[in-house]
Amino acid sequence: STETGLVALNNKSEWVDGAYYGIALSMMVYNLLLMLVVRERIYLEYVVCVVFQIGFIASLNGYAGVLFPQNSFITDKGIYFCSTAMAVAFIQFTRTFLQTKELLPRLDRFYRYYMLVPALALLAEMLVHPTIAAKINVMLVMVTVILLFPVALFQYIKGYRAASYFVFGQGMFLSSVMFTSLSSLNLVPFYFLAPMAIKLGSAAELMLFSMSLAGRISELKKSHFEIQREQEVALAETKASERYVEEISEVNKVLEQ
């Protein structure tokens, strides 16, 4: 019956909720511990991304009203703050992870200026009608992910292997965001699957981003090992040259005698 189907769908939704928040929180705690051990800022940037993404998904599912029933501002506007903060956090994380400041300085400058857009979007969302604010919010998230995805793909094609997980993670989240956005505008069917799709895309992104961080560390260790090896070889060659010069000098002294 229809009632049985709704109950089954609701149970599945609760399972997805539990799985999503469990994955997100475990990724956050895991990388927070890594940050304390490795002491690299990028892990803190990842944790900030997870916090605001959890806030965005929770607000999207109406949990803001459950957690803060007496605060209408958080209930109504919390999703806008979390989405804009999430956009800024992901831009910063992408800049650090893909080393755009060193490798793509012009693009990095564009990203820094673009970080003002979420702030302006947040201001607009606070002032306009909720329907218009929701559309601005959807466009902000979608445009931000679209702007970041090609750069990750470009770095991967150039040979930065750690970017492979990053590309797949952004691709998964981008697909879920586009499906949710288009279905909310009635451009594609199955809108009832949108909440589940956005959680699956977000969870996949967070896990793949965490894996990309591990790959990045491996790449850095490999690069450090290669540099250290080159320095050792250069030092050995220098010592060999000095020894050769000394031997030639001794031979010349013997010949002069």
Side-chain angles (χ1 to χ4, degrees):
S1 65
T2 304
E3 184 178 349
T4 304
L6 289 173
V7 170
L9 183 62
N10 184 59
N11 289 337
K12 287 182 181 179
S13 178
E14 290 179 353
W15 275 100
V16 172
D17 278 359
Y20 171 75
Y21 292 113
I23 290 171
L25 290 172
S26 62
M27 291 294 100
M28 183 180 71
V29 172
Y30 171 69
N31 283 277
L32 186 61
L33 292 174
L34 281 178
M35 183 202 70
L36 296 175
V37 174
V38 181
R39 296 188 181 280
E40 282 202 32
R41 191 185 68 181
I42 191 170
Y43 288 100
L44 178 60
E45 292 176 359
Y46 173 85
V47 170
V48 172
C49 287
V50 176
V51 169
F52 286 123
Q53 193 153 347
I54 290 175
F56 171 68
I57 299 294
S59 299
L60 194 65
N61 292 333
Y63 288 125
V66 176
L67 296 173
F68 306 98
Q70 304 301 322
N71 195 320
S72 59
F73 181 82
I74 293 178
T75 303
D76 297 336
K77 307 295 185 181
I79 187 171
Y80 304 137
F81 173 77
C82 289
S83 62
T84 51
M86 180 182 70
V88 172
F90 271 121
I91 294 168
Q92 180 57 39
F93 176 73
T94 301
R95 290 178 61 219
T96 303
F97 182 85
L98 298 178
Q99 302 174 355
T100 56
K101 186 176 181 180
E102 295 81 12
L103 303 177
L104 301 166
R106 290 183 180 178
L107 183 65
D108 184 77
R109 193 178 303 115
F110 167 75
Y111 280 158
R112 282 191 282 117
Y113 290 138
Y114 178 77
M115 290 169 97
L116 295 173
V117 173
L120 296 174
L122 178 60
L123 179 61
E125 290 165 350
M126 295 295 170
L127 300 175
V128 299
H129 190 272
T131 304
I132 300 174
K135 291 181 179 179
I136 294 174
N137 192 50
V138 168
M139 289 300 298
L140 172 68
V141 175
M142 190 161 58
V143 170
T144 300
V145 177
I146 289 173
L147 286 175
L148 298 178
F149 180 75
V151 185
L153 183 61
F154 175 73
Q155 291 293 75
Y156 171 66
I157 293 173
K158 283 187 64 177
Y160 187 30
R161 288 183 296 177
S164 60
Y165 295 117
F166 197 89
V167 169
F168 288 122
Q170 277 198 335
M172 293 285 288
F173 189 60
L174 175 60
S175 300
S176 65
V177 167
M178 292 189 70
F179 172 77
T180 303
S181 303
L182 294 175
S183 61
S184 67
L185 298 173
N186 295 319
L187 296 177
V188 296
F190 309 114
Y191 176 70
F192 66 92
L193 293 176
M196 191 177 298
I198 196 75
K199 288 171 200 165
L200 292 175
S202 175
E205 180 194 45
L206 293 178
M207 287 189 293
L208 288 166
F209 275 14
S210 184
M211 293 170 69
S212 69
L213 277 178
R216 178 179 179 271
I217 293 298
S218 298
E219 289 278 330
L220 291 175
K221 285 182 178 179
K222 183 180 178 181
S223 176
H224 177 72
F225 175 78
E226 290 176 352
I227 293 173
Q228 189 176 22
R229 181 63 178 167
E230 288 175 359
Q231 290 175 344
E232 291 175 353
V233 170
L235 181 61
E237 289 176 349
T238 301
K239 289 182 178 180
S241 298
E242 291 175 351
R243 195 178 304 113
Y244 175 75
V245 171
E246 290 176 358
E247 291 176 355
I248 292 297
S249 299
E250 291 177 1
V251 171
N252 288 335
K253 287 179 182 178
V254 171
L255 292 176
E256 288 176 356
Q257 294 175 355

